[in-house]
Amino acid sequence: MSSVAPPANREALLSAVGLEKSFSIRRGLFGRVEGYLPAVRGVSFDVAHGETLGLVGESGSGKTTIGRLIARLEEADGGEVRFDGEDWLSLSGSALRRRRGKLQVVFQDPQTSLNPRMSVGDQIAEPLRIHRLARGRAIRDRIDEMLSRVGLSAKMASRFPAELSGGERQRVAIARALATRPKFLVCDEPVSSLDVSIAAQIANLLLDLREQAQLSYLFISHDLAVVCRLADRIAVLYLGRVVEEGPVDAVAVRPLHPYTVALVSAAPEPPPASRRHRIVLAGDPPSATNPPSGCPFHPRCPIARERCREERPELLPAAAGQRVACFYPGEMR
């Protein structure tokens, strides 16, 4: 479980409402559009000041796309995002560039997110120059400060990514993201490419930085155990929709949606009160281009009934501050 208490102030720093995103499917020599792949379907959530929201789900559930929409690396087809009191999706040009420093991204693989031809110091300095936040000696001081903050020596500034270990590269990527003194970090699978011991160190670093700098995180992962350690709340995604959301202590210990129950049972370090035996779901997730009628999970759900095949459940309030999209929440335990 997360070792950091949820913030007392529940005012949202970032609020997403009804996010939608589809990608065109192109085939043939001339790339003719033959259809669309819905990746995110009406997703809504809030992240408070100093809070971490974990997004969890299988590959293809839409969690990385949501992170890219929030970071404006992809443009949403519909919905709204308010960040720090502004309509985030309507910003463009110089207005967006001025505010980008307040919302930064830590990617999954630092080997590809860092420029192999730039030194560590230059990579940390780059966002400072782009956003005109420092110059001259102030840049050098900020580089040293950021390296120290992520547990690296100032001597690292002259080295290149190829000279670093995987854990060191991810620390540099975090230092670069922190250089602009952001309020919000989108962390897209930031520990999944690291071995277990290094991943634990980076997770501890993120927890410490959140407390020190009063950061808010959108933490994206397929690993429920990691999310439980870092997050205050969890949103569980299935085929581009949130099927369950709520406090980590509730969702991970008393999951209500059958899909969440299966995820908890598969976690390598489940909470003590959770299910002990592994639940193996039948088959693979259905195609997003041709989803099933009714509840999208019903073809794999052990407790599905006729209503599930005909109607799609809405995400509604349930026990312990949770929301769940299921007609029979809590029956599969």
Side-chain angles (χ1 to χ4, degrees), residues 8-331:
N9 180 9
R10 293 287 304 151
E11 180 185 355
L13 173 62
L14 184 139
S15 181
V17 180
L19 279 182
E20 301 275 351
K21 181 64 179 181
S22 295
F23 295 98
S24 57
I25 301 171
R26 298 179 181 271
R27 304 195 191 283
L29 181 63
F30 300 103
R32 185 177 60 194
V33 176
E34 292 192 353
Y36 292 90
L37 175 68
V40 178
R41 308 181 185 202
V43 169
S44 301
F45 57 83
D46 292 337
V47 184
H49 290 267
E51 183 182 44
T52 297
L53 174 68
L55 290 185
V56 66
E58 293 171 290
S59 178
S61 61
K63 55 188 185 295
T64 288
T65 300
I66 291 171
R68 292 179 67 84
L69 295 177
I70 296 300
R72 296 289 300 272
L73 300 177
E74 301 277 357
E75 294 302 324
D77 296 332
E80 301 176 1
V81 176
R82 293 199 66 81
F83 173 58
D84 204 17
E86 293 188 288
D87 183 350
W88 183 240
L89 299 187
S90 71
L91 296 175
S92 61
S94 60
L96 178 59
R97 285 193 296 273
R98 284 195 302 271
R99 291 162 178 79
R100 272 196 183 277
K102 296 300 181 183
L103 192 154
Q104 293 288 295
V105 185
V106 178
F107 295 98
Q108 175 178 351
D109 186 358
Q111 190 160 351
T112 57
S113 66
L114 296 176
N115 188 330
R117 297 181 177 85
M118 292 177 65
S119 70
V120 166
D122 285 341
Q123 306 217 38
I124 297 173
E126 186 177 34
L128 297 174
R129 295 189 176 104
I130 290 172
H131 295 286
R132 299 178 182 178
L133 297 176
R135 55 191 302 180
R137 180 64 194 179
I139 290 180
R140 178 72 257 176
D141 291 342
R142 185 74 66 87
I143 292 169
D144 292 346
E145 177 191 350
M146 292 302 105
L147 288 173
S148 175
R149 180 165 286 190
V150 299
L152 295 175
S153 165
K155 296 178 181 178
M156 284 282 189
S158 61
R159 298 174 68 178
F160 288 81
E163 302 175 79
L164 308 179
S165 68
E168 288 171 338
R169 283 193 291 265
Q170 193 61 295
R171 288 174 186 268
V172 170
I174 294 171
R176 182 180 61 183
L178 293 176
T180 59
R181 304 197 192 284
K183 295 183 176 182
F184 195 99
L185 286 186
V186 175
C187 301
D188 186 6
E189 300 271 13
V191 301
S192 64
S193 65
L194 306 173
D195 66 43
V196 174
S197 61
I198 301 301
Q201 293 174 22
I202 297 300
N204 286 335
L205 173 63
L206 289 170
L207 281 172
D208 291 342
L209 291 171
R210 172 186 143 176
E211 188 171 6
Q212 293 166 12
Q214 286 298 293
L215 291 166
S216 298
Y217 294 152
L218 180 65
F219 190 89
I220 298 165
S221 180
H222 66 279
D223 189 333
L224 185 62
V226 173
V227 171
C228 286
R229 182 178 179 188
L230 289 167
D232 300 304
R233 290 185 301 116
I234 300 175
V236 180
L237 295 163
Y238 189 79
L239 277 189
R241 299 184 188 276
V242 176
V243 296
E244 185 165 356
E245 184 269 331
V248 63
D249 292 338
V251 174
V253 177
R254 296 177 299 278
L256 299 177
H257 195 283
Y259 178 59
T260 313
V261 175
L263 288 181
V264 171
S265 79
E269 298 176 6
S274 69
R275 174 183 289 275
R276 290 293 183 179
H277 68 272
R278 172 77 182 270
I279 298 172
V280 179
L281 297 173
D284 296 320
S287 170
T289 59
N290 186 28
S293 61
C295 174
F297 186 62
H298 87 255
R300 306 173 74 196
C301 182
I303 63 169
R305 303 171 198 176
E306 190 61 31
R307 184 183 183 188
C308 307
R309 299 178 180 89
E310 297 175 351
E311 300 177 46
R312 181 171 64 82
E314 298 296 324
L315 188 67
L316 297 175
Q322 291 156 265
R323 296 188 299 158
V324 62
C326 181
F327 294 124
Y328 309 104
E331 287 195 9

